Amino acid sequence: MTGVFSLLPEGRTGLLVPSLSEAGLPGGEDIDGYLAEGGYAPLVAPDRLLGRIAAAGLRGRGGAGFPAAVKLRTVRDAPGPRVIVANGEEGEPGSVKDRWLLRHRPHVVLDGLRLAAAVTGAGRGFVYLSDAEAERAVRRALAESAPELRIDVVRTEHTYVAGEETAVVRRVDGGPALPTAKPPRPFESGVGGAPTLVANVETLARIAVMYSRPDEADAVAGTHLVTLSGGGEGDAALVEVPVGAHLKVLADVCGHGRAEAVLLGGLFGGLYGEGWTDLPLDHDSLNAAGAALGCGALHFLHPDDCPVAVAVEAAAYLGAQSARQCGVCLSGTGAMTKALSAVASGEASHDTVAKLHRWSQQLPGRGACALLDAAARVVATLLAHFPDAVDAHCRSVCPACAGPAPEDGRRFTVTVP
């Protein structure tokens, strides 16, 4: 990897600590150093912190970008005992931000968990993860900080659906990490039946920094950790960037300046070709363009990368990662993968493409989680942004698409720095 670095203006507070990222300290941040930064300060006015979060417009970093203050307030106002879970399970193969935070900045995550618990009135907390190195760092940090709030660490298997909020609740309760039907949502009935806040670890980390640096709350809420990767000669990198940064700038900083397209949001945001360089990194702008920021993972496609091959691999990976609980998901991902494979091998007809169009419009929203939605968006954006490539594949075999489609997502996988 190129490494871990920040594109924030000089003097801005962020989550990337150069001394830690450059030294690659195996034990993560030091407790004394974190206390010197203002960490673990007593929370004397929970409502004031909630107001600060709302005023700064902090949005969740788990994928949906939901306003953090709304989630906090909803759990706070629920009756009875409440629970909070720091969700550090990254299902997207192209994202590394949450594991990096848990490995290298566990105290800022635990501090955010403590603060969010105080705001919501939660009496119990959990850190949910699958990464062994992250677990060791979190347990060390818990031993150093000895929080008053009871915090347990729950280990799960690493799968695409394991980080979905109802799967998180199910696993914390001792079951398999598989999504459940909704309603109820976790904020209504979560761990042990209690109202539960499932919060992404980056969201919690930003809450901690906003509390220790109140004058910079807007700046902290207005930056993202993004994972940049791609084929060709470019490198992968974890970068902290301000909201609104253009995707072309992000491509340039890690050697992907020749990229001709991008896969957004891990596998959830879709494939984008012409005009992608002008897209700004923020939820509203990307949603308006029919895209999604998701977990903040961007995979750049270079001139030698075939968008059809990328779509086939993405769909095949998602199909292999299906929880196999919803018939529509199992049959839908399978059908789309089979049809895309026919396109890639030059064996598709116009009827095949028509079916892909129809499925991409009819299948979203029909599964228990967003996996089926991700597969449908990959198909829909391939057809919308690369119609000439799809048409060419229907007429002849593409060398880049030769061979069976891999299911392991290796093309998109990034190593944690």
Side-chain angles (χ1 to χ4, degrees):
M1 279 186 78
T2 296
V4 183
F5 56 95
S6 175
L7 291 183
L8 304 184
E10 185 176 355
R12 285 270 292 272
T13 298
L15 298 179
L16 299 183
V17 180
S19 61
L20 292 181
S21 61
E22 291 171 6
L25 301 178
E29 64 195 336
D30 176 78
I31 180 65
D32 293 331
Y34 186 64
L35 291 173
E37 292 179 6
Y40 294 123
L43 179 58
V44 296
D47 286 343
R48 187 180 303 169
L49 175 57
L50 181 59
R52 186 181 303 163
I53 293 168
L58 179 66
R59 300 174 76 157
R61 297 300 197 268
F66 196 75
V70 174
K71 291 185 70 172
L72 288 162
R73 190 176 292 114
T74 300
V75 174
R76 181 200 64 179
D77 294 344
R82 281 142 283 177
V83 175
I84 182 168
V85 182
N87 185 5
E89 170 50 20
E90 292 176 296
E92 294 285 0
S95 180
V96 298
K97 68 182 183 67
D98 296 336
R99 282 168 289 169
W100 186 88
L101 282 170
L102 290 170
R103 290 183 184 188
H104 298 289
R105 301 226 58 193
H107 283 298
V108 76
V109 174
L110 293 175
D111 198 5
L113 175 60
R114 172 190 73 94
L115 293 168
V119 168
T120 59
R124 190 174 181 189
F126 295 88
V127 179
Y128 177 82
L129 43 73
S130 66
D131 182 64
E133 187 173 337
E135 181 181 6
R136 288 191 292 270
V138 170
R139 290 191 183 279
R140 278 194 297 267
L142 283 170
E144 289 178 337
S145 59
E148 295 181 5
L149 175 72
R150 178 183 170 183
I151 299 176
D152 294 308
V153 179
V154 176
R155 181 89 173 266
T156 189
E157 293 297 318
H158 178 63
T159 67
Y160 188 84
V161 300
E164 194 273 339
E165 61 176 7
T166 62
V168 172
V169 169
R170 196 172 178 183
R171 178 68 187 91
V172 171
D173 274 338
L178 299 173
T180 59
K182 297 172 278 290
R185 294 277 186 179
F187 69 83
E188 299 168 313
S189 177
V191 175
T196 300
L197 175 70
V198 179
N200 174 261
V201 295
E202 184 188 348
T203 310
L204 294 173
R206 292 199 179 278
I207 288 174
V209 178
M210 290 170 71
Y211 186 66
S212 62
R213 303 283 191 273
D215 293 341
E216 300 179 39
D218 290 348
V220 173
T223 57
H224 283 269
L225 291 177
V226 296
T227 311
L228 311 176
S229 64
E233 69 278 10
D235 293 315
L238 177 63
V239 185
E240 188 166 19
V241 300
V243 169
H246 281 74
L247 301 194
K248 181 63 167 66
V249 174
L250 304 186
D252 288 342
V253 299
C254 59
H256 294 288
R258 294 178 61 245
E260 295 183 345
V262 64
L263 177 64
L264 288 165
L267 303 181
F268 182 74
L271 279 161
Y272 288 81
E274 185 177 356
W276 71 269
T277 56
D278 295 325
L279 290 174
L281 188 87
D282 74 79
H283 284 285
D284 293 337
S285 297
L286 292 176
N287 289 344
L293 178 58
C295 63
L298 281 67
H299 182 84
F300 298 105
L301 278 64
H302 286 249
D304 293 337
D305 294 320
C306 175
V308 174
V310 172
V312 173
E313 184 169 347
Y317 175 79
L318 290 167
Q321 289 288 307
S322 170
R324 286 168 166 70
Q325 297 183 136
C326 304
V328 68
C329 178
L330 193 59
S331 61
T333 55
M336 287 188 288
T337 301
K338 183 177 180 181
L340 284 172
S341 298
V343 172
S345 62
E347 299 173 356
S349 66
H350 287 293
D351 183 57
T352 304
V353 176
K355 288 179 180 179
L356 284 169
H357 272 289
R358 185 168 67 252
W359 291 332
S360 70
Q361 299 300 313
Q362 294 177 346
L363 291 176
R366 297 183 61 186
C369 69
L371 185 147
L372 182 58
D373 294 18
R377 193 194 294 265
V378 167
V379 172
T381 52
L382 173 71
L383 298 175
H385 290 266
F386 303 94
D388 293 342
V390 172
D391 185 60
H393 279 71
C394 290
R395 296 194 307 268
S396 61
V397 178
C398 168
C401 295
E407 295 182 353
D408 58 9
R410 191 172 305 164
R411 179 196 300 267
F412 314 112
T413 301
V414 177
T415 303
V416 183

